Amino acid sequence: MAVLLTVALQLPVTASGVLAADDQGTLRIGGTGAAAATITRVAAAFQKKHPDARVVFTPSLGSTGGIKAVIAGALDVGLNSRPLTEAERAHGLVMAEYGRTPLLLVTSHKGAGVDFTLGQIAALYNGEIPSYPDGAPLRLIMRPEVEIDLHLVRGLSPEINAAVQKAQLREGMNVAVNDQDNAKMLVKTRGAIGWMTMAQLISEHLGLTPLPIDNIPLSQENFASGKYPLFRSFSVVTVAQPTPLVKSFLNFLASAEGRAILEKNGLFIDVKQP
């Protein structure tokens, strides 16, 4: 997977003349793993314009871990996919959404050919669908109860909510702790099925197949209208008065070049569901 997490992103220096003060220093980024690969690509393009800047990505911390690291001064930019709490805002943090991406039901099984209705998703979590139509074993990848993906799935219907609660108590379930573990388990587990954002699927070049839900085609129109019901919002979190380098990066993220990278990697910009 094309994700740089534990090492500094250090690209070749290009000639750019005299550098301004906001071109220099180290920019530390981390948080939700689902956003890491896309922001790595944004950071690579940013660094070509700011060759004296050094961008360092931390391992997957999750949204809460990224926010805590910004509060502690260990990160300059937190990658986030949930609202800030009042306690977090009290630390002087600010948050800016940069895009939304559909949450997809995906499988590692080739030729699955399944269109899951909401009733079938409930049956999936109830353990009532042990195999694909061709007879291949089906293995559900679960997420911890606190994860936003599971919260979104549970909101699809009362039946799905009840089924997920039962599945959480069932022994022997495959549980992926964070977004990177989820990707690894979905790719490597034969017959795996689970949830993943379009942004992570595209940006990490994962060989997984999205499955339709209730026969709703995934299009920008259906996403914008709310007909396709599942999405995650990605945002950046910083202190209220960030450094010039952080401001420069945020400006690049919002620029036409930055937005083009986001859109290429499965993010919808300025799309607000009803």
Side-chain angles (χ1 to χ4, degrees):
M1 294 181 288
V3 188
L4 300 178
L5 293 174
T6 59
V7 298
L9 177 63
Q10 195 67 49
L11 300 179
V13 174
T14 59
S16 60
V18 178
L19 298 174
D22 63 355
D23 287 308
Q24 304 173 34
T26 298
L27 182 65
R28 301 161 299 171
I29 304 175
T32 181
T38 302
I39 297 300
T40 296
R41 284 164 171 71
V42 174
F46 171 79
Q47 210 170 15
K48 288 180 180 179
K49 294 180 177 296
H50 304 264
D52 269 17
R54 179 172 177 263
V55 183
V56 178
F57 282 85
T58 66
S60 181
L61 300 173
S63 293
T64 299
I67 292 168
K68 288 180 177 179
V70 173
I71 293 172
L75 287 181
D76 301 299
V77 178
L79 304 178
N80 182 45
S81 61
R82 65 165 176 80
L84 292 176
T85 66
E86 288 301 319
E88 288 164 348
R89 291 188 183 278
H91 286 278
L93 300 184
V94 294
M95 182 177 76
E97 181 182 278
Y98 62 82
R100 296 182 178 187
T101 185
L103 181 64
L104 307 174
L105 184 63
V106 300
T107 178
S108 63
H109 184 58
K110 302 303 179 185
V114 184
D115 178 357
F116 276 83
T117 64
L118 296 187
Q120 287 171 323
I121 293 174
L124 178 66
Y125 280 93
N126 278 323
E128 298 167 359
I129 305 179
S131 61
Y132 293 95
D134 62 2
L138 181 152
R139 294 178 173 86
L140 176 62
I141 306 300
M142 290 285 293
R143 302 300 306 276
E145 188 173 358
V146 296
E147 283 293 319
I148 184 66
D149 288 3
L150 201 61
H151 173 76
L152 295 172
V153 172
R154 289 173 63 170
L156 286 172
S157 74
E159 293 75 21
I160 292 175
N161 181 47
V164 170
Q165 288 179 323
K166 290 180 182 178
Q168 293 280 50
L169 300 174
R170 201 154 53 239
E171 294 184 359
M173 299 296 288
N174 298 307
V175 181
V177 176
N178 57 44
D179 291 324
Q180 261 58 54
D181 287 339
N182 186 53
K184 291 176 183 177
M185 292 181 72
L186 283 167
V187 169
K188 294 182 178 181
T189 304
R190 184 181 178 186
I193 188 169
W195 300 91
M196 172 177 288
T197 64
M198 178 186 285
Q200 187 175 11
L201 181 65
I202 293 174
S203 63
E204 296 187 16
H205 304 293
L206 301 173
L208 299 167
T209 302
L211 300 174
I213 299 175
D214 263 355
N215 200 31
I216 301 172
L218 183 55
S219 65
Q220 184 164 354
E221 292 74 20
N222 286 339
F223 184 67
S225 68
K227 188 174 181 181
Y228 187 86
L230 294 173
F231 71 92
R232 276 176 67 175
S233 169
F234 285 155
S235 59
V236 285
V237 175
T238 68
V239 296
Q241 297 297 326
T243 65
L245 179 60
V246 173
K247 290 180 181 179
S248 184
F249 177 75
L250 297 182
N251 287 336
F252 181 80
L253 183 65
S255 70
E257 185 176 352
R259 289 161 63 96
I261 296 170
L262 296 176
E263 290 174 343
K264 184 178 179 180
N265 286 276
L267 272 293
F268 290 112
I269 314 298
D270 297 330
V271 173
K272 307 299 182 184
Q273 289 82 352

